[in-house]
Amino acid sequence: MAVNSYLKLGQKPDKTDIVSVLKIVPAKGIILKECVQEIAGESSVGTWTEIKTLDKKTFDKLAAKVIYINEKTGIVKIAYPIKLFEKGNISQLWSTIAGNIFSMKKIKDLKILDITFPDVYVNSYLGPQFGIEGVRKAYGIKNRPIVGCIIKPKVGLSAKETGKLAYDVFVNGADFIKDDETLTDMEFCPFEDRIREIVKATKKAEKITGKKKIFAFNISAPTDEMKKRARFVKKTGGKCIMIDVFTCGLSAVQDIRSDRYGLIIHGHRAGHSAFTDDVSMLAYSKFCRLAGIDELHTGTVVGKMEGTKKEVIEINKFLTGRWGKIKPVMPVASGGLHPGLSFQLVKILGKNLIVNFGGGIHGHPDGSGAGAKAALQSIEAASKGISLNTYARKHEELKKALKHFKK
Amino acid sequence: MAVNSYLKLGQKPDKTDIVSVLKIVPAKGIILKECVQEIAGESSVGTWTEIKTLDKKTFDKLAAKVIYINEKTGIVKIAYPIKLFEKGNISQLWSTIAGNIFSMKKIKDLKILDITFPDVYVNSYLGPQFGIEGVRKAYGIKNRPIVGCIIKPKVGLSAKETGKLAYDVFVNGADFIKDDETLTDMEFCPFEDRIREIVKATKKAEKITGKKKIFAFNISAPTDEMKKRARFVKKTGGKCIMIDVFTCGLSAVQDIRSDRYGLIIHGHRAGHSAFTDDVSMLAYSKFCRLAGIDELHTGTVVGKMEGTKKEVIEINKFLTGRWGKIKPVMPVASGGLHPGLSFQLVKILGKNLIVNFGGGIHGHPDGSGAGAKAALQSIEAASKGISLNTYARKHEELKKALKHFKK
């Protein structure tokens, strides 16, 4: 069988095909057409040599089709028949279209820019349990971004100290607080103690303010341990769990989701940048939505972490839009944010957003409580379209924050 | 607190520190010293700004220490106090030392070359259940590499066809066969049917040959589903399961390992290359050994997949050597191999190896059975230090393979 039969340039993908968009830089001396055929083979029915065990029937049914090649840009499209995939299984999807193809000697550089899925495949997943609507309902907030806060220092506070800090930040304006991604069950801050202290602090803050407050407890661990921790959060009265989705892996996330704890799943993406050089965050965020994350970190544009404006807008647009029957995901902006950036941030990314402040709250000259007030003030101003400087005239904490973080 | 207190150049790490070796290329206009301090901060107690909640006691106890900087090569070493880590939790380790640091705008390029661990940390993990000794015992093979075969085509055969092919390959010489990494529970080849057919074929081949034969069943899926599949393999009489470790994630692997099914865990690494650009395969293979993989794909040097000679030798040396109290891992060479490469392969990588042939068996001019014979012959020759051409004089299948795959 001639190898070039993977080439179906100009052919329309079937309605049920999964289509991958890739950018390829071939290795020296290799032409693009050769690369992309090898990719189509390796990711469907082929291998590096002709084999006796592959017949025409199998090839016609299961071979990937190269439907587009742009010699100038190196961008190609490959359409995969849906029969190549096990429904509802992200690791199988990932191993197929984003697996061995990255290891081939003939390719110098390869990035998966996007993957599109037919509804019949999307709908084989649970997706988020709460989604944006459920998340907003849990916070009781309709028309502005959620004001979030990250406990800082990342690590080092005891359970009692964390509870105290959480109370201070909640009562002064934060809607949401999260554990740091590196904080799990630590000697200096045992998981169960922390949950107990924080749930107490949360309930107290809710009573005082009359508003809903949510804390995301980082349950990242081996899957079974994650489940134990999720059950403990539920039992103790928590409403949200956090998972380091990339470092735990999506098999764990899918499993936690399918257990239906009735807890919002907050997805932190620590470590993703070591991967999303080669598979775009847009494609990875599709995996996360399938897996059932309710709130996902996607970039800040204006903060300390990478991610271009175009890229983050595109991801957030995907997460908040319609996709088969599965619910939309609330995007989270987190990393290097402070009140002085809120106006710009909301202008770029809109109101369907959790805005997380860490140093931007705890670094306030008057401490974390004042920081939380300033953060909320900045988000209120931004949501009403009032400039921060104008709003700061009547809001002392914001005024101080703007002055301090400008330095 | 002055930011430069992360710098402890020339200081020896504590015996219980975890030490990370990184290669950094700073972003334009940023100096290396600034980058590495930001990394030390972000991966321990710091953030992008000074915060009110971080006191000296916490800093002294938990801050990472930059102990080495080489301005010329960009190589730096960071020592992390063990208190920063939850024992036995890979995702927490990963999020800490290989998490957000990849996303920082001040860094143009960053690669974690290696991570070294104190025994007290290593020993908090289960590690492999079988290890090299247990694996060799299961195969009943002492002094040569294990001859493995990958079912090809990757996908498309029915359960019955797969069973038939497995029998043919087993009876003709293969010790080991594995599912392809993209084959899980498929419409055209349901998981349970496949297991039943293959276990039958394996037992028949064992009876005919009087030798032990092992098939690795790919159970990759959401964690709970993986467990169901592992239990089914055990119940049906299988001896080995395969996991796509990177695409499933190590939380799932740790959990499967801790369930102690008494099944060898074969670790496929599909997709790793999208990640190991930034975190070396050496470092990732340490994660996999902690998690409890018995057999791990590490590269072929001579085959179709990437991985330099130096790199693969270093990884295999680590996997097969002593490491705290946890067992060594059997390295697997897989991808683009054929009998003509066996001598060179064993010379480079030694006999503690599973050598997987896919196209190198099924592409044999006389079919898969002859291919399996040729594969075994090539490994026998290589193990005895006899040149392949010499051995081929009395071994027809090898002779044909050498001629065919040279083309």
Side-chain angles (χ1 to χ4, degrees):
Chain A
M1 178 183 309
V3 161
N4 70 7
S5 33
Y6 291 104
L7 282 186
K8 308 280 180 194
L9 295 178
Q11 187 173 311
K12 268 202 158 183
D14 285 353
K15 268 187 190 164
T16 57
D17 283 352
I18 292 180
V19 180
S20 188
V21 185
L22 304 92
K23 190 176 164 68
I24 302 171
V25 182
K28 215 179 150 185
I30 309 288
I31 61 164
L32 183 62
K33 217 174 246 182
E34 189 181 346
C35 282
V36 65
Q37 285 176 93
E38 293 247 342
I39 290 174
E42 183 64 39
S43 54
S44 62
V45 296
T47 187
W48 57 275
T49 185
E50 282 186 41
I51 50 180
K52 301 280 162 184
T53 46
L54 176 61
D55 60 20
K56 192 171 177 314
K57 207 184 78 197
T58 301
F59 188 90
D60 288 347
K61 192 170 69 178
L62 294 175
K65 295 161 285 185
V66 179
I67 57 174
Y68 175 85
I69 296 183
N70 186 323
E71 293 282 353
K72 255 192 200 154
T73 58
I75 290 178
V76 306
K77 291 185 188 178
I78 301 177
Y80 295 91
I82 193 157
K83 281 188 193 303
L84 280 171
F85 302 93
E86 181 188 347
K87 288 180 185 164
N89 186 339
I90 290 176
S91 66
Q92 194 271 340
L93 166 75
W94 188 339
S95 292
T96 303
I97 58 179
N100 280 353
I101 60 170
F102 288 102
S103 312
M104 303 174 86
K105 281 180 177 168
K106 287 188 179 172
I107 295 163
K108 191 183 163 204
D109 201 24
L110 168 64
K111 179 164 186 170
I112 295 183
L113 302 177
D114 195 8
I115 309 165
T116 56
F117 300 89
D119 278 3
V120 60
Y121 184 79
V122 171
N123 293 340
S124 74
Y125 287 85
L126 290 174
Q129 185 174 8
F130 291 86
I132 291 180
E133 213 184 306
V135 163
R136 284 211 172 273
K137 206 174 147 192
Y139 286 102
I141 294 169
K142 279 184 191 161
N143 288 315
R144 63 162 174 86
I146 314 295
V147 177
C149 173
I150 311 150
I151 291 290
K152 299 278 174 189
K154 298 168 83 81
V155 288
L157 301 183
S158 70
K160 266 210 178 341
E161 286 166 339
T162 312
K164 217 175 137 195
L165 182 58
Y167 176 77
D168 195 20
V169 172
F170 270 147
V171 91
N172 280 293
D175 310 303
F176 168 75
I177 308 180
K178 64 178 271 293
D179 277 337
D180 201 90
E181 74 279 1
T182 65
L183 188 83
T184 53
D185 183 21
M186 318 304 290
E187 219 179 276
F188 56 82
C189 188
F191 184 78
E192 297 197 352
D193 292 352
R194 184 165 81 250
I195 281 45
R196 278 191 210 100
E197 291 294 335
I198 287 172
V199 167
K200 230 189 319 177
T202 306
K203 288 190 172 161
K204 202 170 133 198
E206 285 186 328
K207 211 169 160 187
I208 295 278
T209 61
K211 288 179 183 154
K212 290 180 182 167
K213 306 289 179 185
I214 293 180
F215 195 103
F217 299 104
N218 186 7
I219 62 164
S220 303
T223 316
D224 220 43
E225 187 59 39
M226 290 171 84
K227 292 181 171 203
K228 269 187 220 156
R229 293 179 190 180
R231 285 192 296 267
F232 187 82
V233 168
K234 184 71 186 172
K235 196 183 75 181
T236 313
K239 290 177 248 174
C240 178
I241 48 179
M242 172 173 137
I243 303 177
D244 292 337
V245 291
F246 184 73
T247 64
C248 286
L250 294 177
S251 286
V253 175
Q254 281 200 272
D255 198 9
I256 298 291
R257 165 63 182 96
S258 72
D259 275 1
R260 292 179 174 75
Y261 296 104
L263 296 165
I264 294 170
I265 302 178
H266 184 86
H268 194 282
R269 59 176 182 160
H272 77 96
S273 289
F275 169 72
T276 45
D277 288 347
D278 287 358
V279 178
S280 72
M281 184 60 205
L282 175 64
Y284 186 63
S285 72
K286 292 186 176 184
F287 292 1
C288 292
R289 183 166 174 183
L290 291 175
I293 297 295
D294 294 294
E295 306 172 342
L296 182 67
H297 289 231
T298 64
T300 61
V301 183
V302 298
K304 71 179 168 177
M305 300 298 181
E306 61 169 21
T308 66
K309 187 171 161 180
K310 185 171 165 259
E311 190 187 359
V312 181
I313 289 175
E314 196 180 10
I315 296 165
N316 289 10
K317 196 178 157 192
F318 162 73
L319 288 177
T320 55
R322 265 184 62 111
W323 203 37
K325 288 180 186 168
I326 71 173
K327 290 178 183 164
V329 177
M330 179 70 101
V332 180
S334 189
L337 296 179
H338 60 73
L341 297 170
S342 295
F343 194 89
Q344 206 188 341
L345 183 73
V346 173
K347 200 175 158 192
I348 297 171
L349 297 180
K351 292 180 191 174
N352 254 344
L353 199 64
I354 295 179
V355 184
N356 270 345
F357 302 86
I361 280 182
H362 307 295
H364 192 284
D366 295 333
S368 304
K373 279 186 187 164
L376 176 60
Q377 289 159 3
S378 74
I379 292 297
E380 281 171 353
S383 301
K384 293 173 185 165
I386 301 169
S387 88
L388 296 178
N389 285 328
T390 305
Y391 211 70
R393 280 186 216 140
K394 291 191 175 172
H395 295 90
E396 198 52 36
E397 295 83 6
L398 179 58
K399 195 173 169 183
K400 276 205 179 171
L402 294 183
K403 200 176 155 200
H404 177 74
F405 289 112
K406 208 180 269 177
K407 282 188 291 192
Chain B
M1 178 182 312
V3 159
N4 68 6
S5 33
Y6 291 104
L7 281 187
K8 307 281 180 195
L9 295 179
Q11 188 174 310
K12 268 202 160 185
D14 286 353
K15 270 187 189 163
T16 58
D17 282 354
I18 292 179
V19 180
S20 188
V21 185
L22 303 94
K23 189 175 164 67
I24 301 171
V25 181
K28 217 179 149 184
I30 309 290
I31 61 165
L32 184 61
K33 217 174 247 184
E34 188 180 346
C35 282
V36 65
Q37 285 177 92
E38 294 247 342
I39 290 174
E42 182 65 37
S43 54
S44 61
V45 296
T47 188
W48 56 275
T49 186
E50 282 184 42
I51 50 180
K52 301 281 161 185
T53 46
L54 175 61
D55 61 21
K56 193 171 176 315
K57 207 184 78 195
T58 300
F59 188 90
D60 289 346
K61 193 170 70 178
L62 294 175
K65 295 161 285 186
V66 179
I67 57 173
Y68 175 85
I69 296 184
N70 186 323
E71 294 281 354
K72 254 191 201 156
T73 59
I75 290 179
V76 306
K77 291 185 187 177
I78 300 177
Y80 295 90
I82 193 157
K83 281 189 192 302
L84 280 172
F85 302 93
E86 180 189 349
K87 289 181 184 165
N89 185 340
I90 291 177
S91 66
Q92 194 272 340
L93 166 74
W94 188 340
S95 292
T96 302
I97 57 179
N100 280 353
I101 62 171
F102 288 102
S103 312
M104 303 173 86
K105 282 180 178 169
K106 287 189 180 172
I107 295 163
K108 190 183 164 203
D109 200 24
L110 169 64
K111 179 164 185 169
I112 295 185
L113 302 177
D114 196 7
I115 308 165
T116 57
F117 300 90
D119 278 3
V120 61
Y121 184 80
V122 172
N123 294 340
S124 73
Y125 287 85
L126 291 174
Q129 184 174 7
F130 291 87
I132 291 181
E133 213 185 308
V135 163
R136 283 210 172 274
K137 206 174 148 194
Y139 286 102
I141 294 169
K142 279 184 194 163
N143 288 314
R144 63 162 175 85
I146 314 294
V147 177
C149 172
I150 311 151
I151 291 290
K152 298 279 173 189
K154 298 168 84 80
V155 286
L157 301 183
S158 70
K160 265 210 179 340
E161 286 165 340
T162 312
K164 217 176 137 194
L165 181 57
Y167 176 76
D168 196 20
V169 172
F170 270 147
V171 92
N172 281 293
D175 310 303
F176 168 76
I177 309 179
K178 63 177 272 296
D179 276 336
D180 202 89
E181 74 280 0
T182 64
L183 189 83
T184 54
D185 183 22
M186 318 303 288
E187 220 179 277
F188 56 81
C189 187
F191 184 78
E192 298 197 352
D193 293 352
R194 187 166 78 250
I195 282 42
R196 278 192 209 102
E197 291 294 335
I198 287 172
V199 167
K200 231 190 315 179
T202 306
K203 289 191 171 161
K204 203 171 134 197
E206 285 186 328
K207 211 169 161 187
I208 294 278
T209 60
K211 288 177 183 154
K212 289 179 182 168
K213 306 290 180 185
I214 294 180
F215 195 103
F217 299 104
N218 185 7
I219 62 164
S220 303
T223 316
D224 219 43
E225 187 58 40
M226 289 172 84
K227 293 181 169 203
K228 268 187 220 158
R229 293 179 190 181
R231 285 193 296 268
F232 187 82
V233 168
K234 183 73 186 172
K235 198 183 76 181
T236 312
K239 291 177 246 175
C240 178
I241 48 178
M242 172 173 139
I243 302 176
D244 292 336
V245 291
F246 183 74
T247 64
C248 285
L250 294 176
S251 287
V253 175
Q254 283 201 270
D255 197 9
I256 297 291
R257 165 63 182 94
S258 73
D259 276 0
R260 293 179 173 75
Y261 296 103
L263 296 165
I264 294 170
I265 302 178
H266 185 86
H268 194 283
R269 56 176 184 162
H272 77 95
S273 290
F275 170 71
T276 46
D277 289 347
D278 286 357
V279 178
S280 72
M281 184 61 205
L282 176 64
Y284 185 63
S285 72
K286 292 186 175 183
F287 292 1
C288 291
R289 183 167 173 183
L290 291 174
I293 296 294
D294 294 294
E295 307 171 341
L296 182 66
H297 289 232
T298 65
T300 61
V301 182
V302 297
K304 71 178 168 176
M305 299 298 180
E306 61 169 20
T308 66
K309 186 172 161 178
K310 185 172 165 257
E311 189 188 359
V312 180
I313 288 174
E314 196 181 9
I315 296 165
N316 289 10
K317 195 179 157 192
F318 162 73
L319 288 177
T320 56
R322 264 184 61 111
W323 202 37
K325 289 179 185 167
I326 70 174
K327 291 179 182 164
V329 176
M330 180 69 102
V332 180
S334 190
L337 296 179
H338 59 72
L341 299 170
S342 294
F343 194 89
Q344 206 190 341
L345 183 73
V346 173
K347 200 175 158 191
I348 297 170
L349 298 179
K351 291 181 191 173
N352 254 344
L353 199 63
I354 295 178
V355 185
N356 270 345
F357 302 88
I361 280 183
H362 308 295
H364 192 284
D366 294 333
S368 304
K373 280 187 186 164
L376 177 61
Q377 290 159 4
S378 73
I379 291 297
E380 283 171 351
S383 301
K384 294 173 186 167
I386 301 170
S387 89
L388 296 177
N389 284 328
T390 304
Y391 210 71
R393 280 185 216 140
K394 290 190 175 174
H395 295 90
E396 198 52 37
E397 293 83 6
L398 179 59
K399 194 171 168 186
K400 274 204 180 172
L402 294 183
K403 197 175 157 202
H404 177 74
F405 289 111
K406 208 178 266 174
K407 280 187 294 192

